[in-house]
C-alpha cells in the first residue's frame, strides 16, 4: 500500500478584479504582469513568480505557448 | 381613361416594375456574393445596372401618378408617410446591428487585441479634425433643408431652390471629406475587429449619405421643373426625413466610434 499523499494542491486564489466565471482576463493579466515584473525587477526577483504561478495554473497551456512565441516574434499585442 | 373616382384610394395600374425589381435585386445580391467570393464582378454589374434602371422607371411612374395624374390624394399620402416611417424604422435597426457589433467588441476588448480599444498598433483618426468638420457640415445641412422646406411651404421658389441646392452641396462636401479620410486611413477593413466595425459602420453610413444626397438632388431637379406645390410635396418631405435620419446616425457614429472609441 502506498503512503497517503499529503502534498497540498493549490490553484490561483479568487481575485476580485475578475469576478466572472470566465477567467480569461485573470490568465491574461497575470501573464502580462509576470513579464512586466521580470522586465522591471530582473529575472531573479522572486516575488514575480507569484504571477507565473497564477497564469500557469489558470491559462490553458496552448495559450501560454502561443503568447511565448508571439513575444519572441514581437507580435504580442501588449507592451511588456 | 378618366381619373374620376368616387373614392380617395389609388388603385394602381398593371406594372412590370415589381417583378423586374425582384429579379434585379436578386441578381444584385447574388452578384455581390459572387464578387466577394470569386472576384468576378459580372453578375454584380448586371444587378447594379438592372436595379438602377428599374428604380429610375418605377419612380418616374410614381412621379407621373402623383404629380401629373393627381392620384396621390391626402388619404394616399397617409399611406406614403407610413411607408416612409416604417422604412426609416427598419433602417434604424440596420444601424443598431452595427453599433451592437461595435460595442460588443469595444466595451470588453478580447485578449487577442491586448485587452485594449483601439487595439495595440491601431492609430485611429483624430475625431476633432475631419470628423468634427463633417459633424458641422451635416448639422448645417439639417438647417438648410429646413430652410428649403419652409420656403416651399411659403411658395418661395427661389429660396426653396437655394436651400435645397446648399443641402445637396453639403452632402457632396461630406462625401468628399469621407473619401479623403478613407484614402488617408492608416488602418484597413482587414485590421482586426477595429477596422471591421469602423469601416462597416461608417461605410454603410456613407452609402446612405450618397443615397440621401441623390434623393435630395432629384428633389432639386423636380423643384426646378415645378413639381412641388406649397401643399403637395411629399417627395421632398420624405427626402428631408431620410436626410435627418442619416444626420442622426452620423451623430451617434461620431460620438461612439470616432470620439469614445479612440
Amino acid at each position: 500500500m502506498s503512503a497517503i499523499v499529503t502534498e497540498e494542491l493549490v490553484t490561483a486564489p479568487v481575485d476580485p478584479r475578475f469576478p466572472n466565471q470566465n477567467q480569461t482576463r485573470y490568465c491574461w493579466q497575470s501573464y502580462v504582469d509576470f513579464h512586466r515584473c521580470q522586465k522591471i525587477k530582473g529575472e531573479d526577483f522572486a516575488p514575480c513568480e507569484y504571477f507565473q504561478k497564477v497564469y500557469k495554473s489558470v491559462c490553458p497551456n496552448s495559450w501560454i505557448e502561443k503568447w511565448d512565441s508571439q513575444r519572441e516574434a514581437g507580435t504580442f499585442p501588449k507592451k511588456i | 381613361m378618366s381619373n374620376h373616382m368616387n373614392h380617395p384610394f389609388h388603385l394602381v395600374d398593371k406594372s412590370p416594375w415589381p417583378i423586374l425589381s425582384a429579379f434585379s435585386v436578386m441578381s444584385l445580391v447574388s452578384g455581390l456574393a459572387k464578387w466577394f467570393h470569386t472576384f468576378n464582378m459580372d453578375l454584380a454589374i448586371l444587378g447594379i445596372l438592372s436595379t438602377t434602371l428599374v428604380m429610375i422607371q418605377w419612380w418616374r411612374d410614381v412621379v407621373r401618378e402623383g404629380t401629373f395624374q393627381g392620384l396621390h390624394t391626402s388619404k394616399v399620402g397617409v399611406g406614403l408617410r407610413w411607408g416612409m416611417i416604417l422604412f426609416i424604422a427598419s433602417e434604424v435597426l440596420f444601424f443598431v446591428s452595427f453599433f451592437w457589433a461595435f460595442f460588443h467588441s469595444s466595451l470588453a476588448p478580447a485578449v487577442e487585441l491586448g485587452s485594449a480599444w483601439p487595439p495595440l498598433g491601431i492609430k485611429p483618426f483624430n475625431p476633432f479634425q475631419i470628423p468634427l468638420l463633417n459633424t458641422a457640415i451635416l448639422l448645417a445641412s439639417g438647417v438648410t433643408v429646413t430652410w428649403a422646406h419652409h420656403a416651399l411651404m411659403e411658395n418661395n421658389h427661389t429660396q426653396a431652390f437655394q436651400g435645397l441646392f446648399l443641402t445637396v452641396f453639403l452632402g457632396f462636401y461630406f462625401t468628399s471629406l469621407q473619401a479623403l479620410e478613407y484614402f488617408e486611413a492608416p488602418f484597413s477593413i482587414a485590421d482586426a475587429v477595429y477596422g471591421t466595425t469602423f469601416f462597416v459602420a461608417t461605410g454603410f453610413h456613407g452609402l446612405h449619405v450618397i443615397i440621401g444626397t441623390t434623393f435630395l438632388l432629384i428633389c432639386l431637379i423636380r423643384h426646378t421643373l415645378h413639381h412641388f406645390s406649397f401643399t403637395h410635396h411629399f417627395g421632398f418631405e420624405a427626402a428631408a426625413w431620410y436626410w435627418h435620419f442619416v444626420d442622426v446616425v452620423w451623430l451617434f457614429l461620431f460620438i461612439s466610434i470616432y470620439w469614445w472609441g479612440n
Side-chain angles (χ1 to χ4, degrees):
Chain A
M1 293 294 284
S2 57
I4 295 167
V5 178
T6 53
E7 187 188 344
E8 203 185 344
L9 295 172
V10 284
T11 184
V14 170
D15 187 323
R17 292 177 298 168
F18 309 103
N20 300 318
Q21 187 179 22
N22 186 333
Q23 293 284 292
T24 300
R25 252 161 243 287
Y26 191 9
C27 144
W28 161 265
Q29 195 60 53
S30 305
Y31 183 88
V32 171
D33 285 346
F34 171 67
H35 291 96
R36 285 184 166 176
C37 179
Q38 270 203 334
K39 189 187 174 192
I40 295 166
K41 294 291 187 179
E43 300 205 352
D44 300 327
F45 191 66
C48 290
E49 285 166 24
Y50 175 79
F51 297 118
Q52 191 177 36
K53 269 187 186 168
V54 172
Y55 83 71
K56 285 201 166 169
S57 171
V58 175
C59 297
N61 290 338
S62 62
W63 293 9
I64 297 173
E65 285 160 26
K66 190 173 99 182
W67 292 340
D68 285 343
S69 55
Q70 282 182 335
R71 278 190 306 108
E72 276 173 39
T75 57
F76 188 67
K78 189 87 179 172
K79 275 185 189 133
I80 299 293
Chain B
M1 194 185 100
S2 163
N3 265 330
H4 178 77
M5 294 167 198
N6 291 317
H7 62 75
F9 305 107
H10 179 190
L11 305 181
V12 290
D13 292 324
K14 278 206 183 75
S15 161
W17 311 129
I19 188 72
L20 285 179
S21 65
F23 276 105
S24 305
V25 173
M26 187 72 195
S27 312
L28 180 58
V29 174
S30 318
L32 288 173
K34 188 188 175 206
W35 177 20
F36 298 157
H37 283 280
T38 69
F39 303 104
N40 180 320
M41 287 183 72
D42 294 353
L43 190 58
I45 288 170
L46 183 75
I48 290 167
L49 275 178
S50 55
T51 306
T52 308
L53 285 173
V54 170
M55 284 196 295
I56 290 169
Q57 292 173 101
W58 193 341
W59 274 318
R60 176 206 61 194
D61 284 1
V62 173
V63 166
R64 286 173 179 171
E65 291 158 0
T67 307
F68 298 116
Q69 296 182 297
L71 292 167
H72 288 180
T73 60
S74 52
K75 203 123 192 150
V76 172
V78 172
L80 294 175
R81 272 157 229 272
W82 270 110
M84 199 64 200
I85 288 167
L86 292 171
F87 170 63
I88 290 175
S90 76
E91 290 268 72
V92 169
L93 295 175
F94 180 75
F95 278 97
V96 163
S97 67
F98 301 130
F99 280 101
W100 193 296
F102 170 75
F103 284 116
H104 173 94
S105 308
S106 62
L107 279 170
V111 295
E112 285 81 358
L113 306 176
S115 289
W117 195 272
L120 187 72
I122 293 279
K123 198 175 167 294
F125 291 120
N126 181 345
F128 300 115
Q129 291 178 357
I130 284 180
L132 183 64
L133 176 57
N134 270 339
T135 305
I137 289 168
L138 282 191
L139 288 175
S141 77
V143 174
T144 54
V145 80
T146 304
W147 170 32
H149 191 202
H150 282 266
L152 200 53
M153 288 187 296
E154 288 173 21
N155 247 335
N156 189 333
H157 188 273
T158 311
Q159 288 202 18
F161 177 86
Q162 289 166 342
L164 205 40
F165 182 85
L166 265 178
T167 313
V168 171
F169 173 79
L170 290 168
F172 274 113
Y173 189 22
F174 176 92
T175 304
S176 316
L177 286 175
Q178 279 297 84
L180 181 72
E181 184 111 297
Y182 271 28
F183 281 121
E184 302 272 313
F187 54 89
S188 84
I189 195 169
D191 279 324
V193 76
Y194 183 91
T196 305
T197 52
F198 181 90
F199 281 108
V200 170
T202 60
F204 269 115
H205 175 264
L207 179 67
H208 282 74
V209 169
I210 291 168
I211 293 168
T213 310
T214 310
F215 199 173
L216 287 164
L217 179 64
I218 285 166
C219 286
L220 182 64
I221 294 165
R222 293 186 64 200
H223 180 61
T224 62
L225 297 171
H226 305 282
H227 283 198
F228 299 129
S229 81
F230 70 102
T231 51
H232 195 95
H233 47 250
F234 181 66
F236 171 85
E237 285 180 8
W241 291 358
Y242 193 79
W243 192 247
H244 285 307
F245 154 72
V246 166
D247 190 355
V248 171
V249 170
W250 171 260
L251 294 179
F252 280 99
L253 284 176
F254 177 71
I255 292 168
S256 341
I257 295 184
Y258 284 92
W259 191 2
W260 176 82
N262 98 337

